[in-house]
Amino acid sequence: QVGLDAAPHQVTGGPPFNQWAPAPLAQSRLAYVSASYNVPPTVMIGEQALTANLTPADFPASDLVAPKLVTFKAPDGLTIHGQLFLPRTPGKHAGIIFDHGGPVRQMLAGFHYMDAYTFLYESNQYLVSRGFAVLSVNYRSGIMYGNAFRNPKKCCWWGSSEYQDVVAGARFLQAQPQVDPKRIGIYGLSYGGLLTALGLARNSDIFKAGADIAGVHNWAFDIDVGAGKPLGTPEQRKVAYDASPVASLSTWRSPVLISQGDDDRNVPFAEGVDLATRLRDRGVHVETLVFPNETHENQVWADLVRRYDAVAEFFVRML
């Protein structure tokens, strides 16, 4: 509409879509990107795709499942949102908790506006096609649920309060009638890798296998490397250490796949090497997948496919 006083009106419609990046065009037209649970991101002008037949003819749209929007309560009473992917086949399925990165992110019930999370959404769909039930958890410290949710007390290196949301998600998944509660895995990239390692370290009784992709494992070490010198008081550094997976290695029993690019600019490569060494010294089953010359999220398409295929194969073997 023209003018600041004009009433807003809806300009897009159709089935539930994720829509972003609007750009006004001539003749009151609007261009934007649109996607759904089984339609990849597509540039639209009005209600028409900019380029027809852009999606390959063999794209398995009919094989993708529509994630269910779910909520559950954390132990402290906070409502947590997630997306539940369920296989179409009958029977009891192994379950997998997926933790996004960031943590200033949120996952959607469809293809994402960020490339890395579109790839991870596809990974979740692929795991479903392999027979897993997947719950993607939008844990506290993420975006789009308000300032208090975004900045919770004792989060991150101040106490990992967001981890309780991951456990609550696992309990919710275990309670689903289609899920075998004794076969629950966990995986994630970056901050999701951190939460994966926390899950395996603190709750191997729940999480029977995990894929830790480029995760932080020692908050104090990570802060040191980033700053070039120790930060905070000894007491503050102890709080950071205690919030880290390495503080709970004595209770880590479950097998893990640790994957990272050796040119990671976000998380020091030494974090993964250190964790793998510590776990092997304790007799924990560790598998590693290193990508030479790759960065934090992997840039080469073949490496992306290899990474997420390896994650699925690991869970098939372990669960």
Side-chain angles (χ1 to χ4, degrees):
Q1 294 278 7
V2 177
L4 296 178
D5 297 329
H9 70 283
Q10 183 172 328
V11 296
T12 65
F17 284 110
N18 302 327
Q19 297 171 339
W20 63 90
L25 305 176
Q27 301 174 342
S28 299
R29 296 184 301 167
L30 183 72
Y32 56 97
V33 180
S34 180
S36 76
Y37 82 91
N38 66 349
V39 177
T42 304
V43 177
M44 306 289 292
I45 297 180
E47 297 297 321
Q48 300 295 320
L50 179 62
T51 303
N53 302 322
L54 200 60
T55 302
D58 60 351
F59 181 76
S62 61
D63 294 331
L64 303 187
V65 300
K68 298 179 180 179
L69 298 177
V70 297
T71 61
F72 46 90
K73 292 289 187 179
D76 64 358
L78 187 64
T79 297
I80 305 300
H81 294 253
Q83 306 89 43
L84 178 62
F85 301 72
L86 293 174
R88 294 193 179 105
T89 53
K92 290 280 191 177
H93 302 277
I96 295 176
I97 291 292
F98 168 72
D99 306 306
H100 65 72
V104 286
R105 304 281 184 263
Q106 66 163 337
M107 292 302 289
L108 309 173
F111 288 89
H112 204 276
Y113 51 85
M114 292 181 66
D115 287 352
Y117 294 104
T118 265
F119 301 147
L120 285 160
Y121 171 78
E122 292 171 330
S123 173
N124 287 339
Q125 287 279 4
Y126 181 55
L127 287 168
V128 175
S129 77
R130 300 298 299 269
F132 295 98
V134 179
L135 177 63
S136 173
V137 179
N138 282 352
Y139 53 88
R140 74 189 69 193
S141 73
I143 60 172
M144 302 307 292
Y145 298 103
N147 182 66
F149 191 94
R150 169 66 191 90
N151 296 286
K153 295 179 180 179
K154 296 185 178 180
C155 172
C156 312
W157 51 81
W158 293 286
S160 293
S161 64
E162 70 281 10
Y163 175 66
Q164 65 183 298
D165 306 336
V166 176
V167 175
R171 297 301 190 194
F172 175 85
L173 187 59
Q174 286 178 312
Q176 301 306 304
Q178 305 96 322
V179 174
D180 180 351
K182 296 181 179 179
R183 291 186 291 143
I184 302 295
I186 184 171
Y187 90 111
L189 165 68
S190 192
Y191 208 97
L194 161 67
L195 290 173
T196 294
L198 271 178
L200 298 171
R202 295 182 178 182
N203 286 108
S204 278
D205 58 323
I206 300 174
F207 302 109
K208 302 305 181 182
D212 169 0
I213 306 171
V216 173
H217 308 132
N218 183 343
W219 276 121
F221 173 81
D222 192 57
I223 293 171
D224 284 355
V225 171
K229 60 181 181 180
L231 296 178
T233 65
E235 293 76 13
Q236 290 169 331
R237 291 177 55 74
K238 184 179 186 307
V239 169
Y241 180 85
D242 289 344
S244 306
V246 293
S248 301
L249 294 187
S250 63
T251 52
W252 187 319
R253 299 286 183 269
S254 298
V256 62
L257 169 65
I258 299 174
S259 174
Q260 191 172 10
D262 69 358
D263 195 22
D264 193 326
R265 314 293 177 88
N266 298 65
V267 175
F269 183 69
E271 288 258 17
V273 175
D274 175 72
L275 180 64
T277 302
R278 291 174 185 244
L279 291 175
R280 283 173 174 148
D281 287 345
R282 291 179 171 273
V284 175
H285 178 89
V286 179
E287 298 181 18
T288 57
L289 179 60
V290 175
F291 291 91
N293 304 316
E294 272 285 17
T295 55
H296 190 54
E297 297 169 353
N298 279 12
Q299 302 298 312
V300 178
W301 176 249
D303 290 343
L304 283 166
V305 173
R306 184 184 172 203
R307 166 180 280 172
Y308 294 124
D309 189 53
V311 168
E313 293 299 329
F314 178 79
F315 282 131
V316 167
R317 284 188 284 112
M318 297 300 164
L319 299 178

